[in-house]
Amino acid sequence: MSWQAYVDTNLIASGQVTSAGIYDLQGNPWAYSAGFAAQITEVKAVADAMQSSAGPASVLSGTGVTIAGVKYMFVRGDCDEVYAKKGQTGVLIIKLKTCVIVSYHGDNIQPGACTNVVGKLGDFLKENGI
């Protein structure tokens, strides 16, 4: 399956993710949904925070998380997963061995539903050494 198919079929088609992308750990895009504008520097900043010895909470709690030019308030995170929100919308970033999945949910989607769908894809990719 292509990276684009993972985004389109596993994430967007679920109806629980508004937009998403898969990026390498330097922030370079592998695949993303139409109109999703997460920038290389934004994705790299979160990936770096997730890999830092201080942990993402110490890095992102003061600065927040910026994805696609929108700044979100850091809610929770560890070396595997970061969740941030703005109002009723939010972003979930899951780090794998070689890449990160960046997902956005609109205000009509429950955060837990988005987390469940993205987490399942993350688990599948981890099981396959990605």
Side-chain angles (χ1 to χ4, degrees):
M1 185 178 280
S2 73
W3 294 114
Q4 192 63 51
Y6 286 123
V7 171
D8 296 339
T9 305
N10 294 76
L11 300 177
I12 305 303
S14 72
Q16 303 304 313
V17 177
T18 306
S19 54
I22 300 174
Y23 302 80
D24 69 18
L25 298 177
Q26 290 72 46
N28 298 301
W30 289 358
Y32 51 89
S33 58
F36 191 56
Q39 301 299 305
I40 291 170
T41 55
E42 296 169 340
V43 175
K44 183 175 180 350
V46 177
D48 286 350
M50 294 172 87
Q51 297 177 88
S52 77
S53 59
S58 64
V59 176
L60 299 172
S61 60
T63 62
V65 174
T66 301
I67 297 292
V70 178
K71 188 173 184 177
Y72 297 87
M73 179 181 72
F74 174 81
V75 175
R76 68 179 183 280
D78 57 29
C79 62
D80 295 317
E81 181 178 300
V82 165
Y83 181 74
K85 70 177 202 163
K86 180 174 184 170
Q88 297 300 309
T89 66
V91 291
L92 172 68
I93 299 98
I94 294 183
K95 187 178 107 23
L96 307 167
K97 184 175 168 183
T98 60
C99 62
V100 291
I101 303 170
V102 180
S103 60
Y104 164 80
H105 70 82
D107 58 3
N108 60 332
I109 297 171
Q110 292 294 318
C114 178
T115 300
N116 186 41
V117 168
V118 179
K120 284 182 182 177
L121 177 59
D123 289 345
F124 171 77
L125 294 174
K126 283 180 186 177
E127 289 168 6
N128 286 281
I130 304 299

